[in-house]
Amino acid sequence: GAVVSQHPSWVICKSGTSVKIECRSLDFQATTMFWYRQFPKQSLMLMATSNEGSKATYEQGVEKDKFLINHASLTLSTLTVTSAHPEDSSFYICSARDISGQGFQPQHFGDGTRLSIL
Amino acid sequence: QKEVEQNSGPLSVPEGAIASLNCTYSDRGSQSFFWYRQYSGKSPELIMFIYSNGDKEDGRFTAQLNKASQYVSLLIRDSQPSDSATYLCAVKTNTGFQKLVFGTGTRLLVSP
């Protein structure tokens, strides 16, 4: 089955630090990857759609200069939380969709990154 | 009105019973619907997706879709304690990127 690897799984760092999270599709190619954020006891909220070779599309209310997304290849997208503050502490999850095959392909999720800003 | 609505629960069922999870959506033009299971502290994992009216069965799971009523459900037969998790309903948008909109999830508790 389709596997999405996300790294690191857990980050604790000081306020003001920038944190980079990687999302890789291991056994398939993905022109589009999605970045979500989930606060405790809440659902997943889409932050941005990452497109290979072009600029990411951000959801309303998400600061593109705060959350930098790079999707340089068909198997790798990165999310950088710049100058992170305690309110950025959350569970960040990426997903990717296999572009091969016929018909609609569902999104497959990485294991998530738990970010804690002190 | 939220785009995708679910009862937050918890829904408690005894082991071996049928668990019924419900979801309604607001966009009548939605075409594809997904059920994900999320264990505490973990990321969601896909259980099933459905896009035709009626039932779709996969093992102990049955997804039911009624587009006229804008309603999708998930039945879990012979519920096991390991099924205890939060179940997220997601609806695919009709935008070019085929984004998913998630409900807040229903917490299911299966007691031994």
Side-chain angles (χ1 to χ4, degrees):
Chain A
V3 177
V4 176
S5 173
Q6 191 172 337
H7 178 80
S9 57
W10 197 3
V11 180
I12 301 175
C13 57
K14 294 181 179 180
S15 184
T17 306
S18 291
V19 178
K20 179 185 281 188
I21 303 170
E22 292 187 349
C23 180
R24 294 180 184 273
S25 56
L26 296 186
D27 52 359
F28 66 97
Q29 294 182 327
T31 53
T32 303
M33 293 184 176
F34 303 88
W35 287 97
Y36 296 85
R37 180 167 54 182
Q38 186 177 35
F39 291 107
K41 299 191 184 302
Q42 295 186 24
S43 190
L44 278 73
M45 295 301 296
L46 180 65
M47 299 175 64
T49 302
S50 169
N51 305 296
E52 187 267 335
S54 63
K55 292 182 179 180
T57 301
Y58 290 81
E59 295 300 300
Q60 190 172 14
V62 178
E63 301 176 56
K64 61 180 181 180
D65 294 330
K66 171 82 174 173
F67 300 99
L68 301 178
I69 291 174
N70 183 280
H71 192 157
S73 77
L74 286 173
T75 60
L76 173 64
S77 176
T78 62
L79 168 68
T80 300
V81 183
T82 61
S83 186
H85 292 286
E87 59 266 29
D88 298 321
S89 299
S90 188
F91 191 42
Y92 292 83
I93 312 171
C94 72
S95 72
R97 193 172 62 238
D98 191 343
I99 63 171
S100 66
Q102 299 294 322
F104 178 76
Q105 299 295 321
Q107 292 182 27
H108 297 276
F109 286 85
D111 288 337
T113 297
R114 192 161 300 282
L115 176 62
S116 295
I117 308 299
L118 305 178
Chain B
Q1 182 186 7
K2 292 182 180 178
E3 293 185 68
V4 181
E5 295 206 52
Q6 295 180 258
N7 188 315
S8 61
L11 172 65
S12 296
V13 300
E15 184 175 357
I18 296 175
S20 178
L21 303 161
N22 305 315
C23 172
T24 58
Y25 59 94
S26 61
D27 184 357
R28 186 170 288 277
S30 300
Q31 296 294 319
S32 302
F33 309 87
F34 304 81
W35 283 100
Y36 285 86
R37 177 174 61 196
Q38 186 176 27
Y39 292 109
S40 180
K42 303 294 185 181
S43 66
E45 54 180 320
L46 180 68
I47 298 175
M48 296 185 69
F49 64 92
I50 186 170
Y51 43 80
S52 299
N53 272 329
D55 295 358
K56 179 181 179 182
E57 186 175 319
D58 184 359
R60 295 187 295 115
F61 300 97
T62 299
Q64 299 175 317
L65 175 61
N66 184 325
K67 291 184 179 180
S69 300
Q70 295 174 239
Y71 176 93
V72 58
S73 65
L74 179 70
L75 300 178
I76 306 175
R77 289 181 298 281
D78 188 23
S79 296
Q80 301 296 310
S82 58
D83 294 327
S84 298
T86 297
Y87 289 79
L88 301 171
C89 172
V91 178
K92 181 177 76 69
T93 67
N94 292 322
T95 64
F97 298 129
Q98 300 185 341
K99 300 184 295 186
L100 292 181
V101 178
F102 284 85
T104 53
T106 298
R107 188 172 168 218
L108 173 66
L109 297 175
V110 181
S111 54

